[in-house]
Each structure stands twice: as C-alpha cells, then as structure tokens.
Amino acid sequence: MNAQQEQLDWGSLGFGYIQTDYNVRCYWRDGKWGEWEVSSSDMITIPMASTCLHYGQESFEGLKAFRGKDGKVRVFRPEENAKRMQSTSQGILMPELPTERFLEAVDMLLHLNKRFIPPYESGASLYIRPLMIGLGKQVGVKPSNEYMFLMFVTPVGAYFKSGFRPTPMAIMRGYDRAAPLGTGTYKVGGNYAASLRSGELAHSMGYSAVIYLDAKEKLYIDECGPANFFGIRDNTYITPKSSSILPSITNKSLMQLAEDMGLRVECRPVHVEELETFEEAGACGTAAVISPIERVDDLDLKKSYIISKDGQPGPISKQLYERLRAIQYGDYPDTHGWVRIYPDID
Ligand SMILES: *Cc1c(COP(=O)(O)O)cnc(C)c1O
C-alpha cells in the first residue's frame, strides 16, 4: 500500500465522485470499435450536435470492486453488467460492446487505479461506471453513426454508516418512472430523468425512495427508483415480474441465495395490497445490496403499510445481506462462480 492511498479517509467517503488517476475510452466509427485510449483527464470534448445530448442515446452500468481480508481484489459478476449493457444497446439502437472488451476495460482500470481500491476494513469499495453515448453530429432523429464507450472508477463509502436499518418509502400515484412497453428494462439515463421529480419530492418528505407501481393499472409493484423490490412471506422470497423494471443483478443473486437458504422464490406480478402481508421487504441494488423497508405510505390513498414493527431489519433480509456481502469480500465461499478475482493487483 503506498503513501497516497493512506491519505484518503475511506471511512468518511459517501456516494460522490473523487477523481482517480485514469479512465479508458473507445470509439465506434465506420461500423467497428477502435483501440482503447487511456486518459488521465476526467474531461471529454464532444460535438454539440451529438445525439446523446439531444435525443438521449446514452446507457450506463454500475458495478463494484472490493478488496478482501486476503488483500485480493474482487469484482462481482461483471459479465452480467456487460450483458445487460448489450441488451440496453439493442433497446436504444447503439452498438454492443463485446463482453471480452468490457472485461478488458475493468481489468485495465483496476490496475491503473489500484491505489483507489479501499482497504477491507473500511467497508468502502471502488465503484465502476461504464457509459456509452451517441456522438454523431445530426439534428434529425435517428440513431448516431458514432459512439463513445467510456469507463471510470471512483471510490465510494460503505452504504450503511449508522447500521443496517429500515427506512420509509412512498407510493406516489401521480408519477410514473417507465411505460409498460417503454425503456424501463434498459439502463438509460432517461429513466432517471423521469424519476427525479418524484424522487426529490419523496426525499423532501423524509422518504428514502419512491415505490413505483405499474403505469397502466396502478395495481402492481414495479420497483423502488434505482433498485428492485422484494418481499418475504411464509419463507418465500417474492419479487415483481414486470415489463417496465430493470433486471437487477443484485436481485438475481439474492433469488439464488434465497433458494440456497431453503426459501421458495416467486417472480410474478406483486399486487400492491400484498404489502399488508409481507413480514419483511426491501429494495435491492449494487449501491446498498439491500435497503430494508420500514413502512410504505401510499400518499394518495392515505394508507400506510407497516413492514417493520420494531424498526429493525427482518432476519431473512439480514441473512441475505450478510451472505451476499461476504461473497463479494471473499469471506464466504463463492459457490456460484460470481466473483472475478484479480490476483495480480496488490
Ligand atoms: C441499476 C438499477 C437497478 C439495480 O441493478 P443492480 O444490477 O442490482 O445494481 C435497479 N433498478 C434500476 C432502475 C436500475 O437502474
């Protein structure tokens, strides 16, 4: 560990942005991807007529690298992020970056920025942000003929600084995140723009997130802003199936772990009134793994669903959270081959 690494106060890191040493870029031109370019600048210069700026041809991903007790660096299921980014490309007509190239970029970035990978004890991690934008100069609405793929990293703090605690979430029936046959299943910035207004309103009222219902009937649970939803009842892990939610890699992993732990797993439409029956519920995603839900207030119907009566997370949520974290940090056997280890990074 070098001197500069010790200067960062890992314990006080939030989920912000700290410039690291290098990022990598690659351009799609004339129908093919070019060579990697390594940059030490965190600026990009793009044409003002780029399609990403006008018509939202933009996709992104989010994954994390963890340093284990054994000093080894691990990344959780990066192939899944590569595949999901390819699916997003299909969804908004951008070129697909092959999985090998995606993994190459992760590999390069970790080596180039290894002094920013937080130590095990801090509970912090290195967030990896892949991004793709349309660069073609045009004002007509059609897919671009040029793209930039870019990947950067930034260290982020442990999500639960004051402990793994449930928080209240809100249903706001006057807002939708994504249309049933729209872009909800793709990881595009536009979905986030669509959810900012309701999200900020919910935050201002003391809620940690909005639970969006299906936009058509307002009967079924979709997801919690930037995270999927799950409920626990009768030893069963229940998570929504819908055409307007983003397939979370954390959720997919939790479904497997739930099964490993002897729970039944159901992926099906989840009626909003089922909230009444859940013994536990949570939001899941890369940022927090699991954010337990304390209660859900349906603001328009003036109805509250209390999930955690004592303000504590339920035992199954806690067990799932701890198991997944332990796999990510190398403290529990990775029986599903989820973790990619970088043995040559010290
Ligand atoms: C990224 C994302 C998630 C979480 O996915 P993970 O792969 O678990 O990080 C959930 N919902 C939305 C809308 C997202 O963009």
Side-chain angles (χ1 to χ4, degrees):
M1 199 176 287
N2 66 36
Q4 194 158 357
Q5 185 154 30
E6 291 166 15
Q7 282 167 20
L8 269 176
D9 181 6
W10 306 109
S12 65
L13 280 177
F15 197 76
Y17 171 75
I18 290 171
Q19 189 180 352
T20 59
D21 291 334
Y22 298 101
N23 54 80
V24 297
R25 300 125 187 248
C26 177
Y27 294 87
W28 168 272
R29 289 190 183 114
D30 304 322
K32 57 179 193 298
W33 289 107
E35 295 303 310
W36 291 116
E37 291 175 16
V38 175
S39 175
S40 58
S41 161
D42 68 347
M43 304 291 281
I44 57 171
T45 302
I46 63 171
M48 63 176 78
S50 296
T51 61
C52 64
L53 299 177
H54 304 259
Y55 306 124
Q57 259 197 315
E58 184 268 357
S59 77
F60 70 100
E61 274 298 329
L63 61 165
K64 283 177 171 177
F66 308 87
R67 195 182 282 280
K69 211 183 274 176
D70 56 8
K72 286 197 186 120
V73 174
R74 292 170 173 81
V75 177
F76 190 68
R77 309 191 78 174
E79 304 84 356
E80 291 291 323
N81 295 90
K83 277 199 274 179
R84 190 168 65 191
M85 198 168 201
Q86 290 155 10
S87 153
T88 300
S89 279
Q90 287 172 16
I92 60 167
L93 300 184
M94 303 202 293
E96 294 174 38
L97 186 81
T99 302
E100 329 66 274
R101 304 257 358 232
F102 186 98
L103 296 176
E104 237 169 63
V106 172
D107 198 302
M108 267 192 286
L109 275 187
L110 293 179
H111 282 89
L112 291 166
N113 297 293
K114 65 180 181 186
R115 69 194 184 94
F116 290 96
I117 307 173
Y120 173 78
E121 309 72 46
S122 64
S125 56
L126 188 70
Y127 187 73
I128 305 170
R129 168 51 57 86
L131 187 71
M132 196 187 294
I133 53 177
L135 288 189
K137 294 187 233 182
Q138 63 199 47
V139 291
V141 180
K142 62 177 161 53
S144 173
N145 53 1
E146 282 188 25
Y147 294 85
M148 176 193 234
F149 171 82
L150 133 80
M151 199 186 276
F152 67 85
V153 295
T154 192
V156 295
Y159 194 87
F160 296 105
K161 289 220 168 59
S162 52
F164 181 60
R165 291 273 149 69
T167 55
M169 297 190 185
I171 293 171
M172 299 168 68
R173 290 165 180 268
Y175 300 87
D176 292 320
R177 186 193 80 93
L181 301 174
T183 56
T185 54
Y186 306 123
K187 209 164 176 80
V188 296
N191 292 338
Y192 280 75
S195 66
L196 275 180
R197 192 175 160 88
S198 44
E200 287 303 300
L201 189 55
H203 289 155
S204 74
M205 293 188 286
Y207 298 102
S208 64
V210 178
I211 295 185
Y212 293 94
L213 302 184
D214 80 279
K216 193 171 174 190
E217 297 185 273
K218 299 280 184 186
L219 286 179
Y220 301 98
I221 296 173
D222 252 4
E223 62 177 322
C224 314
N228 278 184
F229 173 91
F230 71 88
I232 306 283
R233 181 182 63 225
D234 290 338
N235 213 39
T236 308
Y237 181 100
I238 301 161
T239 192
K241 185 184 176 81
S242 155
S243 62
S244 46
I245 64 182
L246 197 280
S248 152
I249 297 161
T250 311
N251 196 11
K252 185 174 172 179
S253 309
L254 291 173
M255 284 189 251
Q256 180 63 58
L257 293 182
E259 205 179 294
D260 294 353
M261 285 162 31
L263 277 81
R264 278 183 304 275
V265 173
E266 293 176 7
C267 183
R268 55 161 175 83
V270 179
H271 199 285
V272 61
E273 280 169 16
E274 278 190 65
L275 284 170
E276 206 118 37
T277 68
F278 289 139
E279 296 147 17
E280 304 179 26
C284 58
T286 295
V289 177
I290 289 175
S291 297
I293 300 173
E294 182 192 355
R295 67 167 205 282
V296 180
D297 293 345
D298 191 328
L299 296 180
D300 302 281
L301 300 191
K302 312 219 177 333
K303 189 168 176 184
S304 276
Y305 302 92
I306 312 290
I307 312 262
S308 166
K309 291 179 186 65
D310 58 0
Q312 295 300 317
I316 294 173
S317 302
K318 193 157 182 288
Q319 208 182 342
L320 284 168
Y321 171 76
E322 284 170 357
R323 175 79 57 95
L324 189 57
R325 294 257 305 167
I327 293 171
Q328 291 175 332
Y329 281 93
D331 292 332
Y332 191 86
D334 175 26
T335 55
H336 298 288
W338 287 342
V339 162
R340 194 174 171 90
I341 304 183
Y342 296 79
D344 55 336
I345 301 177
D346 52 21

